């Protein structure tokens, strides 16, 4: 092993049983965040994309992917079968499995997450991270695809997940910000107002209030 390379333990895919060395999720230094909370990471954008990607592990054989450590997953037989079927049938995986584009792990984790009944908030988070990777890798059309999917999951999450506190405020804000990025400026303004209502009187949300103000101004200019 070359000096300085972190040791990479073997992980075993809980779906197909393949053993492989996974890149462990690394912590990284950020220098602030963009308005959609994408971390700004010093260095080349592609290095930043690689660090964000390390949040998911994907099996190189069957494409099972998850944000959790594989050891921690305890899948039922039904879940394993369901996941296998979904991975086989998925259109994007069929086309892109060989090419391994940088967003593929998040997409696969979303596909598997649906079968594992992850909450909409978590599915949205996977898609949001995929959109960050696409932006850093300059994959524009896919960035929009994942922003739209993240937005839909977050909207469902606001209806179904009983979010409270910071999670409620941030999720509502993100629906606004993703709308703005997708060009729906008036929609965005409505969601920023909703987000502002959820933070009222909470001093810990001052950073979010400032962000809401700033992005509302931007959306108003863009809507004009
Ligand atoms: Zn596998």
């Amino acid at each position: 092993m070359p000096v300085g390379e972190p040791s990479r333990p073997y992980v075993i895919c809980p779906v197909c049983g393949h053993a492989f060395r996974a890149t462990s999720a690394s912590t990284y230094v950020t220098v602030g965040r963009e308005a959609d909370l994408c971390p700004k990471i010093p260095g080349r954008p592609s290095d930043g994309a690689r660090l964000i990607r390390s949040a998911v592990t994907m099996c190189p054989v069957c494409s099972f992917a998850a944000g959790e450590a594989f050891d921690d997953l305890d899948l039922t037989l039904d879940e394993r079968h369901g996941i296998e079927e979904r991975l086989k049938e998925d259109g994007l995986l069929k086309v892109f499995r060989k090419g391994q584009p940088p967003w593929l792990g998040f997409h696969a984790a979303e596909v598997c997450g649906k079968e594992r009944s992850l909450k909409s908030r978590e599915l949205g988070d996977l898609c949001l991270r995929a959109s960050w990777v696409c932006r850093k890798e300059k994959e524009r059309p896919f960035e929009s695809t994942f922003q739209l999917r993240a937005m839909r999951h977050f909207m469902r999450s606001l209806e179904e997940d009983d979010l409270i506190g910071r999670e409620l405020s941030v999720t509502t804000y993100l629906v606004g910000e993703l709308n703005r990025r997708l060009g729906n400026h008036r929609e965005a303004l409505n969601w920023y107002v909703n987000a502002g209502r959820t933070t009222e009187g909470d001093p810990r949300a001052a950073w979010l209030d400032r962000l809401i103000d700033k992005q509302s101004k931007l959306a108003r200019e863009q809507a004009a």
Side-chain angles (χ1 to χ4, degrees), residues 13 16 59 62:
C13 173
C16 75
C59 170
C62 73

Side-chain angles (χ1 to χ4, degrees), residues 23-38:
T23 317
S24 51
S26 31
T27 52
Y28 45 82
V29 179
T30 60
V31 285
R33 288 186 180 259
E34 296 177 51
D36 66 348
L37 309 187
C38 174

Side-chain angles (χ1 to χ4, degrees), residues 92-109:
L92 278 182
L93 279 170
K94 272 182 195 164
V95 175
F96 289 101
R97 189 175 270 136
K98 271 216 176 97
Q100 296 271 317
W103 45 263
L104 196 68
F106 289 105
H107 170 70

